[in-house]
Structures are given as structure tokens and as C-alpha cells.
Amino acid sequence: MPVLDTATTSQLKAYLGNLRRPVELVASLNDSPKSADMRSLVEEIAVLSDKITARFDGEDARRPSFAIRADEGRAQAVFAGLPLGHEFTSLILALLHVGGHPPKEDAELLDQVRGLEGPLHFETFFSLTCQNCPDVVQALNIMAALNPNITHVAIDGALFQDEVERRKIMAVPTIFLNGEQFGQGRMDLAQIVAKLDTGAVARAAEKIAAKEPFDVLVVGGGPAGAAAAIYAARKGIRTGVVAERFGGQVLDTMGIENFISVSHTEGPKLAAQLEQHVKDYSVDVMNLQTAVGLKAANGDGLATVELESGASVKARTVILSTGARWRQMGVPGEDQYRNKGVAYCPHCDGPLYKGKRVAVIGGGNSGVEAAIDLAGIVSHVTLVEFDSQLRADAVLQTKLRSLPNVTIITSALSTEVTGDGEKVTGLVYRDRNTEEVHTVALEGIFVQIGLVPNTEWLKGSIGLSNRGEIEVDARGETSLPGVFAAGDATTVPYKQIIIAMGEGSKAALSAFDYLIRH
């Protein structure tokens, strides 16, 4: 039975028309059903282009796996496992980039990749349901395709469970460099190169410090920041964006089904579209930049945003759209066992807990949805909710209660994460009705208890609510003249993508109105 359907095969064949040099697929297989699927996949790809040949005599110890090679092996990407699901795009891009088609990345960044000295051998553990993993896999595949000193193998953690256990991997993506852990979580090409090229941060800071003041400076690259940048740029005024990562919290969102006029999309796809839309205009995007300070305008009429790199950016108006991050439980053991059993993304890390016992903290929609998804993978789910009842939509609660391997505990205060020094072994909670303390033996804890605004760096410089949200009026104005704010970091109720976009647009229009009046 074919691995790829007719529509996918047709799409892939069209992409492979962009190959610029011959590519060889070298598979290492055994007698497993997954190896049979991989043989089928490799054969299906090979017949789609006269520039592709296939062999099945590979000697890789990980089976099934296959390498995509060109230029006598000096350019290659390796997949241990079937790159389907979220990683199918990674497969397409690996074929193209190894085959000589240029990556859609900044030319200066690609030159940095070519100049890296090796040997650098990367291994990335991913899961097919992880929306954060493709960025890492694709970035490292680009590096391996461009630089013969760099190799990369992408490993499906669910398929190579023994290796995952041996190397104590409890979160994806996890990246190893020359056998040592290099990083965890989403990283794009620029972030990886900056971590390898230690002088990159200083060079970027020097360039930023030399920039002329902006008319509008947007801090944050999520939906609110992207909308603000687009609306400001369309007014023909000098617009800049500083962001830690473009897309913000959207990058960690799986399915999006309430973005009006788009019945379904996924966070990473929407984030990429936001970034491309911003780049359609003359917006100066400064990525990998963390804001650490804000100074109000003085006699020159310019506000100053200070960056962690040491650079400062001046602007006549500023729009703060720094978004939010996952809220933590704040109990002993949580930090110690983060990515060692304590996780925040059930879609990403769930497959690593196949057959194990886990807890989900939080009884809202996010928590109940996570518990439902995990119940299909793990042996047992314990959902722990502080309130006396779940707060999720009724349809989700009905589905959850129908699952035989789920236990629901309400009126429970989580007090400690326990472990053996290397991984989580349990969760301690106190029954708020009886004050009795209980311990649940388990291997994983997924925290789903809401968001915290990214505003700590603004304390003392701007008006914040008691929850740390930036106080704004109906026009998005803050307590500082010329400084506006939008999105999940503000006091505007209902933290939704579409609301953040509207608030970002409003803040840009308010900033423009401020400029023409002053």
C-alpha cells in the first residue's frame, strides 16, 4: 500500500522539479513493518524525478533510516524514522536543499553557516505530533546541506524508544552536538548559528545601535506585533520590530479553528505567514532580540528600548506587544525536573510517554484537551484541578469522562513534584476539602494552567495591573505618552489571536495619530 496519497505525490513531484543536481537516497532497513513503509516511501520518491536514485544497502545502525545525499556525500540529511506528519515538509525541504535548491534564508546568515568550522555532528530527537520540531530539523538540515563539516540526523523518538530511555530524553525537540546536549525546544537557523558563532550577538548589537530612530518601534513579533507593524508600515512611516522569535505564543499552538474565515490552520504555519506579510513591507525586523528596559521620551522626543545584547533602539513612538508564556505551578521540584518529566506541550512531548502514567494540571479547555489527547497514548492520565469543578466546555468534559484510563481530581492543590534526581516520579497534592496530602506515582506532568504576561522588564517604568498586565485605554495608550500596547500582555480581556491582531492594528493607528498631532 502506498505511503503517499495521489495528491501528495503530485505535489511532491512538482517540488522536485526544482532539483539542481542528482540526489541519492540510501536506506538502512530491517524486517520491521516500519522498514517496509520506509522502503515504500523511498521508492515512491525515487520515481518522481530522474535526478533521484535509491539504494537499500545502507549501513546505518539506526533502522529504519535513510540518507539524502548529493555531491558525493558532502551534502546530506538523514532521517531515522518516517518523516511524515509535521515533518513531511522537512522531508521536502531536505530533498530540495541537498539537491542544490537555495534555502529561503538571509544570504548573510547562509554565509555564516558555510563558514562554520567542524566537525559538527547534530542529532535531533523529534515526534511526529510536535509543531516545534520542524523548525529545528529544517534548520539543521540546511546546515548539513551547505557545509560538509556539518552532519545531521533527525530521529523519531517514538520509534527509537530504547535510545530515548538510554539518553534520558523526556522532551522534544532535543538536540545533541557531538554527543553532548546542545539545546531543547524550538530553535530556528538564526538561533542555532548564533549559539555556535559567539561573535554573532556582538555584531548584531553593533548594527542595531547604529540605526536611526524609528517613527514606530514594535516590541514583540506575535499576532499583535505583526499587525501593528503592517498597519504602521502601510502609513509610510519608518517602522521597526524587535522580537525574541517571530510568531510568539502562536508557534506553540497546535490547531487553530477560531480564526475567522480560516476554518483550520496550525500555529507554525500562521506564524510563518505573519512574518512573510510583515516582510512584504519596508519593516526593519530585528530578530533574536530581548528587550530589558524602557525609557520614556525626554527632551529629544524619543523613547528608548534597551536590549539584552547591550544595544539600544530609539523611536518617536513604541508599541509593546510582548505577549505571554505558559504559567508555572511554582512548586518545589518543577524547575528541577523541567524537560525531565515536567512538560508544557502535550502535542510535542506526549509520544515520549507512551505506555506511562502522567498527570495534567488544569481543568480548563487546554487541560482537558491535553488529557483527552494523552489518554490515547499513555497508560493512565490523572487530571488535577484546583477548583471544585472543571472549567472546560461541557462537550470536552463529556468526552474526558468517557475515557476509561482517566482519573479526575478536583479541589486539589499541587504542592510538589518528586523525582529520583534524573526524572519525575510523582506529584504531591493537598485535598482542599479534607487537608489530606496525597502522592500520585507517575512519570510525566503536563502543566496547562494559563498564561503569564511577559512584562517583568517593564516594572517601574509603565503602569501595570496587579497581574502584571500593561494597563491600556480604549486606544491602546499606556501611562507613558507615545507608548502604546497590544495583545496578551495588556489588560484587554480575552486572550485570542484575532483579538490581539485587532488590538495591534488599533495601537498602530493610535501611534500614527500621535505622530501627526505631535
Side-chain angles (χ1 to χ4, degrees):
M1 183 177 177
V3 176
L4 304 177
D5 59 36
T6 303
T8 303
T9 300
S10 177
Q11 181 186 36
L12 181 55
K13 184 174 183 178
Y15 282 126
L16 295 179
N18 293 306
L19 292 176
R20 298 187 178 186
R21 61 187 178 190
V23 170
E24 183 179 51
L25 307 181
V26 183
S28 302
L29 307 176
N30 54 24
D31 296 329
S32 68
K34 287 295 184 182
S35 281
D37 289 341
M38 181 169 287
R39 177 181 283 273
S40 296
L41 175 64
V42 170
E43 289 174 341
E44 289 169 36
I45 294 171
V47 300
L48 298 180
S49 171
D50 57 8
K51 284 188 170 63
I52 300 179
T53 57
R55 289 170 34 202
F56 299 93
D57 58 351
E59 299 179 352
D60 197 314
R62 293 190 185 95
R63 296 170 184 260
S65 65
F66 72 100
I68 304 170
R69 295 177 181 169
D71 194 21
E72 298 181 347
R74 285 186 289 272
Q76 74 166 14
V78 180
F79 289 97
L82 272 72
L84 302 176
H86 284 292
E87 293 299 343
F88 187 66
T89 299
S90 300
L91 169 61
I92 296 174
L93 292 175
L95 289 163
L96 293 177
H97 297 152
V98 173
H101 187 70
K104 292 183 178 178
E105 295 282 354
D106 180 75
E108 185 177 341
L109 179 59
L110 296 179
D111 284 340
Q112 281 183 266
V113 171
R114 294 185 184 97
L116 292 171
E117 297 181 357
L120 302 173
H121 176 58
F122 287 97
E123 299 166 290
T124 303
F125 286 83
F126 68 88
S127 74
L128 294 177
T129 56
C130 169
Q131 73 270 26
N132 293 324
C133 296
D135 277 5
V136 174
V137 172
Q138 291 164 24
L140 290 170
N141 281 346
I142 287 173
M143 294 171 66
L146 294 181
N147 188 327
N149 298 316
I150 301 173
T151 58
H152 176 231
V153 55
I155 306 160
D156 182 355
L159 192 57
F160 293 89
Q161 199 80 35
D162 289 346
E163 188 172 359
V164 165
E165 296 281 352
R166 186 175 71 254
R167 300 177 77 165
K168 299 180 174 63
I169 298 163
M170 305 191 75
V172 291
T174 294
I175 312 164
F176 289 86
L177 171 58
N178 296 337
E180 300 294 327
Q181 187 166 311
F182 175 79
Q184 282 186 319
R186 178 187 295 275
M187 297 178 74
D188 60 21
L189 183 61
Q191 289 172 302
I192 293 170
V193 172
K195 194 168 182 178
L196 294 167
D197 182 358
T198 54
V201 173
R203 292 195 300 272
E206 187 177 349
K207 287 183 179 179
I208 290 172
K211 293 180 184 293
E212 294 294 321
F214 292 94
D215 291 317
V216 174
L217 178 66
V218 180
V219 183
I230 290 167
Y231 264 70
R234 286 175 61 85
K235 293 295 185 182
I237 55 180
R238 180 169 160 75
T239 304
V241 176
V242 292
E244 288 188 30
R245 57 173 189 166
F246 217 96
Q249 192 74 14
V250 167
L251 288 166
D252 301 323
T253 304
M254 189 67 169
I256 299 171
E257 297 178 343
N258 57 358
F259 189 61
I260 310 305
S261 84
V262 179
S263 59
H264 177 83
T265 188
E266 294 181 347
K269 180 179 179 180
L270 178 59
Q273 291 170 329
L274 289 175
E275 185 170 14
Q276 183 55 54
H277 197 172
V278 170
K279 289 180 177 178
D280 287 343
Y281 296 92
S282 297
V283 176
D284 189 340
V285 178
M286 294 160 276
N287 257 325
L288 307 185
Q289 300 300 321
T290 302
V292 295
L294 172 67
K295 292 183 178 179
N298 49 32
D300 60 4
L302 299 173
T304 302
V305 174
E306 299 170 334
L307 305 177
E308 190 176 63
S309 64
S312 294
V313 190
K314 292 183 178 295
R316 296 172 65 193
T317 61
V318 174
I319 298 174
L320 302 171
S321 54
T322 50
R325 63 187 184 277
W326 293 116
R327 183 182 299 277
Q328 299 179 23
M329 293 185 289
V331 301
E334 181 178 18
D335 285 338
Q336 180 182 354
Y337 292 103
R338 187 187 315 280
N339 295 325
K340 297 177 181 178
V342 176
Y344 300 86
C345 181
H347 299 295
C348 302
D349 300 331
L352 299 179
Y353 293 83
K354 183 178 180 180
K356 297 181 179 180
R357 301 162 298 178
V358 304
V360 173
I361 311 300
N365 281 352
S366 295
V368 172
E369 287 173 352
I372 292 170
D373 290 343
L374 288 165
I377 301 171
V378 305
S379 65
H380 190 271
V381 179
T382 301
L383 187 141
V384 180
E385 164 59 32
F386 178 82
D387 203 350
S388 60
Q389 59 186 4
L390 302 185
R391 293 166 287 107
D393 294 342
V395 64
L396 293 175
Q397 292 192 43
T398 300
K399 173 64 176 176
L400 182 70
R401 296 180 193 281
S402 73
L403 301 175
N405 62 335
V406 173
T407 299
I408 300 171
I409 301 174
T410 57
S411 299
L413 174 65
S414 300
T415 58
E416 185 182 0
V417 174
T418 62
D420 61 8
E422 292 186 346
K423 60 184 183 300
V424 165
T425 58
L427 173 73
V428 180
Y429 73 90
R430 176 169 55 82
D431 187 316
R432 296 174 55 233
N433 295 322
T434 66
E435 298 300 316
E436 293 181 6
V437 175
H438 304 271
T439 299
V440 182
L442 39 74
E443 289 78 36
I445 299 170
F446 290 83
V447 184
Q448 301 283 291
I449 53 175
L451 302 172
V452 178
N454 296 317
T455 57
E456 290 87 352
W457 64 285
L458 292 168
K459 288 180 179 177
S461 62
I462 203 166
L464 301 176
S465 71
N466 57 8
R467 298 178 61 183
E469 297 170 328
I470 304 169
E471 295 178 334
V472 293
D473 65 10
R475 297 169 59 86
E477 294 176 327
T478 72
S479 60
L480 292 180
V483 178
F484 304 83
D488 288 2
T490 73
T491 51
V492 170
Y494 311 119
K495 312 306 184 187
Q496 299 290 310
I497 293 171
I498 198 162
I499 292 174
M501 287 183 174
E503 292 296 311
S505 306
K506 183 201 297 182
L509 294 173
S510 296
F512 180 72
D513 184 66
Y514 179 89
L515 288 171
I516 62 178
R517 292 175 184 273
H518 295 78

